[in-house]
Amino acid sequence: MPSSSGIEDYDVIEQIGSGSYGTCSKVRRKRDNRILVWKEMEYGGMTETEKQMLVSEVNLLRELRHEHIVRYHDRIIDRSRYVLYIVMEFCEGGDLSSIIGKCKRDGEFVSEDFVWKMCVHLSSALQFCHNRCIRGGRSILHRDLKPANIFLDSEQNAKLGDFGLARVLNHDNSFARTFVGTPYYMSPEQMNCMTYNEKSDVWSLGCLLYELCSLRPPFTASNQKELASKICKGKFPRIPHQFSDDLNNLIAALLRVEDYKRPTIDQVLDHPLLIKNGGGYL
Ligand code: ADP
Ligand code: MG
C-alpha cells in the first residue's frame, strides 16, 4: 500500500474518541492548516486475509467522492508500529447518535425540516453507492446505516461515514457482526433468509429517519427473538404527532416488510412527498 505522506505532515490537536479498533483524533495538516480527522487502526494482529480486506476497503473509500459521504483524504502507514491512519474530513457537527441523545436528555424533538434534509442527503449518498455499477464498479451497500455513522458538517449537512471499515475490523464480511449487540435496523429479509440487498439499505434508512423523529427505533425488544418477530410483523407506532402525515407516510413506505414493495433509492428521491417537503434540499 503506497502512502503519499507521513504522520509528520500532521499535528494532533486532540483525541475525539476511541473506537473498537483504535482512536480517532482531530489533526491539522501542516501544509495548509486544514483541520481533518484521522482514525488509527492497528493491523498487527490481523491475518493476511483481514489485511487484504482492509486494503480493498480503503481503496474503495477513495472512490467514494460525494458531497454527502465523509471525504477520504489520505492513508498513512506506520510500519514500525503496525498502525494504519485513515485521514478524512472533519465533521464538526458530530454524529446523529449524539443529536438523538441530546434530544432525549432535553425532552425535545428535532425539527421536521431537519428530518427532510437528512432524508434527502442520505438518499442521495445511498443513490451514489447503489448506482455505482452504472459507472463501472459494483454496487456498494452501506450495510451499517445507523445514527453513529452519520455525521454533520458545520451547516448540518449529512455525511455518511464508516464505510466497510467497521466490517473489516470486526472480522466480518458476513453476518456475524449483526448478531453482536441488538440489530434494531436489521431488515426482515436479513432476519429471514440472511440476504442483504439495496432494499435493506432503504429499510435501514426508514429506521433511521423514524428514530430521528421518535428518538427510539421503530422496533424494540429486550431480546433478539422478540425483536425478529416484531420486525417481521412490521408494525410500529406512528412517529410523534408534531411530525406530518407526509413524513409518516414516506417513512412507512421505506419500512414495508416485503422488500419488493419498498421504493428503490431512485424512487425515494423522485417520491412526490420528498419533492414536496424536501425538494429544496435536492
Ligand atoms: P466507533 O464508531 O467505534 O465509536 P469511531 O472511531 O468511528 O469509533 O468514532 C469515535 C468518535 O469520533 C465518535 O464520537 C465519532 O462521532 C467521532 N468521529 C469519527 N469520525 C469523525 C469525523 N470524520 N468527524 C468528526 N467526528 C468523528
Ligand atoms: Mg464509528
Side-chain angles (χ1 to χ4, degrees):
M1 220 187 319
S3 159
S4 48
S5 53
I7 42 175
E8 66 283 358
D9 297 319
Y10 298 84
D11 284 320
V12 176
I13 301 171
E14 60 178 338
Q15 188 174 314
I16 51 180
S18 57
S20 31
Y21 41 81
T23 58
C24 196
S25 305
K26 190 169 160 182
V27 298
R28 180 184 292 105
R29 185 163 63 191
K30 291 179 185 168
R31 78 171 139 89
D32 57 2
N33 283 329
R34 183 142 176 204
I35 303 297
L36 297 160
V37 154
W38 76 22
K39 255 184 197 206
E40 274 178 57
M41 290 181 292
E42 273 181 50
Y43 61 85
M46 289 185 187
T47 63
E48 270 321 302
T49 318
E50 287 167 336
K51 279 189 258 183
Q52 279 308 315
M53 277 176 69
L54 185 57
V55 170
S56 61
E57 291 292 346
V58 172
N59 287 337
L60 183 66
L61 283 182
R62 305 160 66 175
E63 288 178 42
L64 294 176
R65 295 178 173 270
H66 186 270
E67 59 176 324
H68 297 300
I69 296 179
V70 176
R71 174 64 61 87
Y72 163 95
H73 285 277
D74 199 6
R75 62 189 182 194
I76 304 164
I77 303 165
D78 182 347
R79 292 207 162 73
S80 62
R81 289 172 50 239
Y82 300 99
V83 176
L84 168 69
Y85 297 81
I86 311 265
V87 183
M88 62 191 150
E89 170 183 10
F90 171 57
C91 304
E92 66 176 272
D95 63 64
L96 284 187
S97 69
S98 328
I99 304 259
I100 291 170
K102 186 177 184 307
C103 281
K104 277 195 210 162
R105 279 195 305 279
D106 300 349
E108 285 170 359
F109 289 99
V110 302
S111 73
E112 169 145 352
D113 201 46
F114 178 69
V115 183
W116 285 110
K117 182 174 174 178
M118 293 300 107
C119 180
V120 171
H121 288 179
L122 296 172
S123 301
S124 119
L126 287 177
Q127 182 184 48
F128 176 83
C129 297
H130 291 180
N131 294 347
R132 182 168 169 272
C133 43
I134 297 168
R135 298 184 301 277
R138 63 187 159 93
S139 164
I140 302 163
L141 307 176
H142 189 281
R143 292 173 186 270
D144 199 17
L145 213 60
K146 61 179 185 187
N149 286 342
I150 295 161
F151 297 92
L152 296 172
D153 70 7
S154 57
E155 282 146 14
Q156 295 212 308
N157 293 304
K159 309 270 177 169
L160 195 46
D162 265 359
F163 271 89
L165 291 174
R167 207 151 34 102
V168 178
L169 293 156
N170 288 292
H171 311 273
D172 168 55
N173 56 355
S174 62
F175 293 92
R177 202 168 81 84
T178 322
F179 294 101
V180 178
T182 315
Y184 292 114
Y185 288 14
M186 194 189 239
S187 62
E189 62 274 12
Q190 269 176 290
M191 288 286 181
N192 289 328
C193 48
M194 312 287 277
T195 61
Y196 195 101
N197 57 45
E198 281 87 349
K199 296 293 186 75
S200 319
D201 272 349
V202 171
W203 171 276
S204 306
L205 176 64
C207 291
L208 185 110
L209 296 172
Y210 184 97
E211 183 164 356
L212 202 50
C213 297
S214 305
L215 309 178
R216 41 161 286 183
F219 310 100
T220 55
S222 53
N223 62 66
Q224 295 237 4
K225 194 158 170 264
E226 190 194 341
L227 180 67
S229 141
K230 284 192 178 178
I231 288 174
C232 296
K233 287 196 185 98
K235 286 200 173 34
F236 48 85
R238 190 198 188 280
I239 53 175
H241 65 268
Q242 54 268 58
F243 296 103
S244 68
D245 285 341
D246 279 1
L247 186 53
N248 188 57
N249 291 339
L250 183 71
I251 292 173
L254 306 181
L255 293 177
R256 299 294 293 268
V257 172
E258 301 86 349
D259 57 2
Y260 63 89
K261 289 186 181 165
R262 279 173 233 150
T264 63
I265 205 69
D266 289 341
Q267 289 165 340
V268 174
L269 283 160
D270 286 337
H271 201 288
L273 293 176
L274 184 136
I275 307 269
K276 177 182 161 201
N277 296 279
Y281 298 116
L282 280 167

